[in-house]
Amino acid sequence: MQTNGPDPILIREGYRGKIFLRIPESLWPQLRIELIQLVQSIPEAYFEERHSYWVFPDSPQARSRLAAIIDPHQPRRISASGYFSQADEEALTNELRARKYSPRTITLYINANRSFLQSIKKISSEIQAQDITRFLADKEKEKASASTLNVILSGLRFFYCQVLHRPIFEERKRPKEDKRLPLV
């Protein structure tokens, strides 16, 4: 699942009773007429200019009509619960299982990636190295231990380097071990 191709269409369904749709500029000429007709035919549908996305009421009618227009372009669906899409989770799980990682490690890596993207409020294709630094710094402020930070870093590194093939961890170092006073 590489993200080096053209930007995908993003759909977030079931969030606050709405469907959010972002169309990349490269696909806009192909979809413009159909989307404008769809927005005009569905009450409460509109274009959010500030964030550049389309908003539709989450109804079976809107879902089926959107699917007819958008599904041929293989949109990336973002789950209602957050920015870590179902496709991302499946790709990460499959790669970890193929390498015989334990169920506990799989759960930890998925949770680390989900909480990271939810905290940063971006999808995986938009992540930059400074987002990871900021997230780890926030976790350290919350008094997370070095071992917790290492698990998070391992989960993020595995997902972005091994699954998405994005080299954003080039010079990332592990956190120092926590110093503990000896028991006397």
Side-chain angles (χ1 to χ4, degrees):
M1 185 173 136
Q2 293 186 8
T3 58
N4 296 343
D7 290 337
I9 295 174
L10 301 176
I11 292 182
R12 186 172 190 192
E13 298 171 323
Y15 182 72
R16 297 185 179 176
K18 305 229 185 281
I19 299 171
F20 298 89
L21 174 70
R22 180 171 286 156
I23 308 287
E25 288 183 29
S26 61
L27 289 174
W28 178 240
Q30 298 170 29
L31 299 173
R32 184 177 68 83
I33 294 170
E34 291 175 294
L35 270 176
I36 291 173
Q37 290 172 347
L38 183 61
V39 168
Q40 291 171 347
S41 68
I42 296 179
E44 302 177 28
Y46 61 94
F47 180 72
E48 170 59 51
E49 197 168 335
R50 182 172 159 218
H51 298 290
S52 300
Y53 54 76
W54 298 85
V55 181
F56 299 90
D58 194 358
S59 66
Q61 175 196 16
R63 281 181 184 243
S64 66
R65 293 181 67 192
L66 269 173
I69 295 171
I70 301 229
D71 281 355
H73 299 281
Q74 299 174 339
R76 172 177 271 185
R77 297 188 186 280
I78 301 171
S79 70
S81 62
Y83 294 87
F84 193 54
S85 71
Q86 190 69 33
D88 286 343
E89 184 173 336
E90 287 175 13
L92 178 59
T93 303
N94 290 339
E95 188 66 30
L96 288 166
R97 283 186 182 149
R99 295 178 186 212
K100 300 192 66 75
Y101 278 68
S102 74
R104 175 79 175 141
T105 302
I106 293 171
T107 302
L108 287 171
Y109 282 17
I110 287 171
N111 290 339
N113 279 283
R114 183 179 290 126
S115 69
F116 167 64
L117 292 173
Q118 192 66 34
S119 173
I120 299 298
K121 300 198 182 324
K122 293 183 179 180
I123 61 169
S124 57
S125 61
E126 297 174 344
I127 296 301
Q128 301 297 319
Q130 62 267 24
D131 295 326
I132 295 164
T133 302
R134 188 174 75 222
F135 179 70
L136 291 173
D138 289 345
K139 285 294 183 187
E140 198 280 323
K141 285 180 190 173
E142 295 172 9
K143 304 289 185 206
S145 68
S147 61
T148 300
L149 293 176
N150 273 320
V151 168
I152 292 169
L153 188 58
S154 295
L156 296 176
R157 177 175 279 147
F158 187 90
F159 181 59
Y160 287 97
C161 294
Q162 303 299 318
V163 178
L164 297 182
H165 306 289
R166 293 189 54 210
I168 58 175
F169 280 92
E170 294 300 320
E171 297 185 21
R172 169 75 48 205
K173 295 194 179 187
R174 301 237 171 234
K176 289 183 181 179
E177 290 287 324
D178 292 330
K179 294 185 179 180
R180 296 182 183 162
L181 293 174
L183 293 174
V184 179

